[in-house]
Amino acid sequence: MLGTFLIGLREGLEAALVVGILLAYVNRIGRRDVAWRIWAGVALAIVVSLTVGAVLTFGAYGLSFQAQEIIGGTLSLLAVALVTWMVFWMLRTARGMRGALEGQLGDAIAGSGWGIVAVGFLSVGREGLETALFIWATTRSSGESPLVGLLAAVGGIVLAAALGWLIYRGLLRVNLARFFTWTGALLIVFAAGVVAYAIHDLQEAAVLPGPFAMAPEGASAFVQSWYGDAAWAFRIPHLIAPDGVLGSLLKGTIGFAPEMTKLELVGYVLYLVPTMALFLRRALRPKPAPRPTLVPQPAT
């Protein structure tokens, strides 16, 4: 629930800020008559995102177990890639986001009026699709009910909408740079857990070597160590119950499970360590000082 709540809060606040920038711009230029078209694009983006979430949740039930696991593992890796890209994109473009959005909306107003719907749809739809895919992957990896994950995400989105409205009305000031930095770091940790679970799915489908497949005939000792019982890194369900409070908390936050394979641990570490190091390096490096303005000296 924490993971889906956080993704709903972060993506919802980003979408709320985008909508606030667009509405403030049309108010500033005296074109409040086109505001409803922005809302039409936002509504269309919400419908598309909900449809994608429903297809992901219910669309694979008629497939075989192996096909479900292959689709689940592949889409989980896609969700990790999208969220990682989103975290670094927000870190890089947050400062110039207002100017870019106002430029797109200005071009849409100058051209076809229905282009405003497209601006609203594309600005919010990207966050919506990322949210739907990552909520699905996070809920699946934590073993929770899709309804529980959805309710937690909706709670985060509702809170984000309220915060966005307060910011838009000037009633609340939030250090957005710090907010997106901390939530970005937490999302990277959650995404590492999704990577491990995606590898587990692909191992169950016998796409990757693991405890659910036999080693090829004539394989070396090193290759055999990634198959069968030798593929497990540890199995401690007698110490931490998978369905207990501690087991659920660890799996839903940092992606730790009482039974993990060597390949899951390798994927977890290879994603988390370099991604987090690069993110913190970019997020915490000092901002360049503005260049001094040269004042021409009068001629002697």
Side-chain angles (χ1 to χ4, degrees):
M1 290 181 65
L2 179 61
T4 54
F5 176 83
L6 180 63
I7 189 67
L9 176 61
R10 180 191 167 95
E11 292 291 278
L13 184 57
E14 185 176 337
L17 294 175
V18 168
V19 173
I21 291 172
L22 296 177
L23 293 177
Y25 178 73
V26 297
N27 288 336
R28 190 169 71 245
I29 64 174
R31 290 299 307 273
R32 296 184 180 181
D33 57 299
V34 301
W36 71 270
R37 297 186 180 182
I38 296 175
W39 285 114
V42 172
L44 181 60
I46 292 174
V47 171
V48 172
S49 301
L50 291 175
T51 303
V52 170
V55 170
L56 290 173
T57 303
F58 304 107
Y61 283 156
L63 301 176
S64 65
F65 173 78
Q66 184 181 27
Q68 290 185 34
E69 297 304 297
I70 292 175
I71 293 175
T74 304
L75 290 181
S76 295
L77 292 177
L78 177 61
V80 170
L82 287 176
V83 168
T84 306
W85 173 82
M86 175 267 295
V87 166
F88 282 93
W89 177 86
M90 193 64 185
L91 193 66
R92 183 180 68 254
T93 61
R95 290 185 174 183
M97 185 170 62
R98 176 183 295 273
L101 288 172
E102 291 182 351
Q104 294 174 11
L105 189 57
D107 294 340
I109 292 176
S112 172
W114 290 104
I116 302 171
V117 178
V119 173
F121 172 77
L122 294 176
S123 300
V124 177
R126 178 175 56 83
E127 280 82 8
L129 293 176
E130 290 171 354
T131 302
L133 186 56
F134 195 68
I135 287 174
W136 174 82
T138 304
T139 303
R140 200 168 185 272
S141 65
S142 64
E144 295 292 341
S145 166
L147 180 60
V148 174
L150 177 62
L151 292 177
V154 169
I157 293 172
V158 170
L159 177 58
L163 293 175
W165 183 82
L166 291 173
I167 294 172
Y168 174 74
R169 303 295 297 180
L171 302 176
L172 178 68
R173 296 184 64 86
V174 178
N175 188 329
L176 295 176
R178 186 173 298 174
F179 171 83
F180 284 116
T181 297
W182 280 104
T183 55
L186 287 175
L187 283 180
I188 290 174
V189 175
F190 293 148
V194 176
V195 169
Y197 190 79
I199 292 174
H200 186 85
D201 275 353
L202 295 176
Q203 286 179 318
E204 287 189 329
V207 175
L208 294 177
F212 314 104
M214 300 297 294
E217 293 186 6
S220 63
F222 174 77
V223 173
Q224 292 181 9
S225 67
W226 297 90
Y227 288 88
D229 290 338
W232 292 106
F234 54 82
R235 305 183 75 179
I236 53 173
H238 57 287
L239 298 178
I240 302 177
D243 55 351
V245 175
L246 180 59
S248 299
L249 181 63
L250 292 174
K251 191 172 184 180
T253 53
I254 64 174
F256 173 86
E259 295 182 329
M260 296 187 70
T261 66
K262 298 175 183 177
L263 197 58
E264 287 180 73
L265 283 180
V266 169
Y268 185 94
V269 173
L270 288 182
Y271 171 82
L272 179 62
V273 174
T275 305
M276 183 67 77
L278 181 60
F279 176 78
L280 294 178
R281 178 183 177 185
R282 294 188 178 184
L284 302 179
R285 65 183 176 187
K287 303 296 185 295
R291 294 181 179 181
T293 303
L294 298 179
V295 179
Q297 299 295 326
T300 56

